[in-house]
Amino acid sequence: MIASESMSELKTILREDQMLAGEKDSHPFGNSGHLKVYPESEEDISAVLEYANSNGLKINIMGGGTKRGFGGLNEKADILLSLERFTGIVEHTPGDMTLTVKSGTPFKELQDYLAKHNQKISLDPFWPERSTIGGVIAANESGPKRLGYGSARDAVIGLRTVYPDGKVIRSGGRVVKNVAGYDMNKLFIGSMGTLGVVTEITLKLRPLPKSESLVLVSFPQGNLEEIRTFAVKVLDSMIEPVTMELLNPALSGKLTGINFYTLAMSFEDVESSVQYQEEFIQNILPENAKLTVNSKEEADFFWKRFYQHSPNGTAEELPAETEACLKVGTVNLNVLHVLKESELLKDMFNVTVESHGGLGHGLSQVSIRGAADDVASAAKKVREIAEKAGGYAIVKHLPLELRKEVNVWGRNPSYLFLLQGIKTKVDPHKTLNPNRFVGGI
């Protein structure tokens, strides 16, 4: 790994083809580079991209590395552009409730800073200690609190992005009321870094709630129709849970010690409102269900463990058991079908399955562990389950060799030609994150 002190030094290294003398960086999840560089400014990033684009070199982009197993069919590019030194807050306007930050900044670092100002970013990604805000935006990641918070597309109001040719563009702005023209932000959010390197992100904030609690409703009989009926009552009511995340028995047992289907419902508001919503849940509770109310401290402990339960791409060596993680999108209550069918994978393929899904937003996550061949077969079966339920499945995490066997993105969408057209226009030489996105983009 080489940290360039200046762009002139980097160009000298590249011209002399020193990067081809040997592997400078290797990783079991791929998406590596023969040469690893650490830009510390937007000018550095622009210079690297401009030089690579002009000389036919390929670049992989990395923040905290948690999504290294997400997409990509190449072990190495010519350059691995690491943003771990490109960090810091550019501007925070507490009165306007906006924050502009460099993309390599760890997410938890931002939340800790904002907490001192009684504010927060309304996103809840997995592995917040390691995930960078740029990686969260590039993957359009969201967690169970998407029900109350929305997605990254809802939180971002402005971006600065470096195109593959080194040009810097700005989309959106630094104020919430910014409605002129096309919303170009959405072009880059979720594009997996294939269109440009996001350098600055402006987000709208929300105040920290006066009170928080977590209500766990467990269903010992495992009757999914009973869970559906209860969920419909909640969704049709006037209360506003931030999450309605159903955990399968394996995950519930791991996080709570309750080995049944468990619905995790969190509330954030003033204290009287939180108490009212807790009482409402208790009053409509099914006869066989059991309710546990957790304080803010207990809720914080639960969520900390929850956001660390799924695999990520930071390990330098593969674990003893192969791990996969899939994101499944369906109509919200079809989450019940996804979780139920995923339970059958345990016996069908001799794997461990930990799954959860939002009964309000329809996104599920299925984590699988076991022998490599069994995990690959189970992952393909999850996609069949999702499509049968009228949805889709994306592989968020899988070792490189298995990503060559299991299609990460599934069937190409009907609008693939539009995505290809945009990629060709913005990055005709396929410089950035080649083969990282849907359809081999």
Side-chain angles (χ1 to χ4, degrees), residues 215-228 230 244-254 256-265 285-286 288-292 302 333-346 353-357 359 364-366 385:
V215 173
L216 300 176
V217 181
S218 57
F219 299 84
Q221 295 185 346
N223 187 330
L224 295 188
E225 282 305 312
E226 182 180 52
I227 300 174
R228 178 189 295 272
F230 175 74
M244 284 185 63
E245 200 74 7
L246 184 64
L247 317 180
N248 81 334
L251 183 57
S252 177
K254 179 178 180 179
T256 70
I258 304 170
N259 294 290
F260 306 117
Y261 278 105
T262 300
L263 187 60
M265 305 177 64
L285 203 64
N288 297 315
K290 297 182 179 180
L291 180 143
T292 305
F302 170 87
L333 292 179
N334 281 351
V335 163
L336 294 164
H337 172 77
V338 172
L339 266 58
K340 179 182 178 181
E341 293 297 312
S342 296
E343 284 288 287
L344 303 179
L345 302 176
K346 295 185 298 183
V353 178
E354 296 174 349
S355 59
H356 58 89
L359 300 183
S364 304
Q365 181 165 293
V366 182
I385 293 168

Side-chain angles (χ1 to χ4, degrees), residues 89-269:
I89 293 170
V90 177
E91 181 180 3
H92 177 213
T93 310
D96 291 340
M97 300 191 73
T98 59
L99 175 76
T100 301
V101 62
K102 294 181 181 179
S103 57
T105 311
F107 187 82
K108 187 176 186 301
E109 184 177 310
L110 293 176
Q111 294 291 52
D112 289 345
Y113 163 81
L114 290 170
K116 300 174 184 177
H117 298 270
N118 202 37
Q119 295 177 337
K120 67 177 179 179
I121 301 168
S122 54
L123 291 171
D124 64 325
F126 291 86
W127 295 97
E129 296 85 358
R130 298 179 180 179
S131 292
T132 62
I133 185 63
V136 172
I137 299 306
N140 191 28
E141 186 178 357
S142 59
K145 295 184 180 181
R146 182 181 180 128
L147 176 61
Y149 290 176
S151 68
R153 290 188 172 98
D154 300 304
V156 173
I157 58 177
L159 298 173
R160 279 177 68 90
T161 306
V162 182
Y163 271 158
D165 62 4
K167 293 179 181 178
V168 180
I169 70 161
R170 182 173 176 176
S171 55
R174 292 192 177 182
V175 294
V176 175
K177 291 186 177 180
N178 180 35
V179 296
Y182 294 106
D183 187 356
M184 289 285 288
N185 295 328
K186 291 183 173 62
L187 183 64
F188 301 101
I189 299 172
S191 65
M192 297 297 291
T194 56
L195 298 179
V197 178
V198 173
T199 56
E200 287 185 12
I201 302 157
T202 300
L203 304 122
K204 58 183 176 182
L205 309 174
R206 67 165 57 190
L208 289 176
K210 299 292 184 181
S211 179
E212 297 179 50
S213 77
L214 172 68
V215 173
L216 300 176
V217 181
S218 57
F219 299 84
Q221 295 185 346
N223 187 330
L224 295 188
E225 282 305 312
E226 182 180 52
I227 300 174
R228 178 189 295 272
T229 300
F230 175 74
V232 169
K233 287 182 180 179
V234 175
L235 292 170
D236 286 347
S237 72
M238 297 297 290
I239 69 170
E240 296 181 342
V242 177
T243 63
M244 284 185 63
E245 200 74 7
L246 184 64
L247 317 180
N248 81 334
L251 183 57
S252 177
K254 179 178 180 179
L255 298 179
T256 70
I258 304 170
N259 294 290
F260 306 117
Y261 278 105
T262 300
L263 187 60
M265 305 177 64
S266 56
F267 301 101
E268 299 180 1
D269 210 322

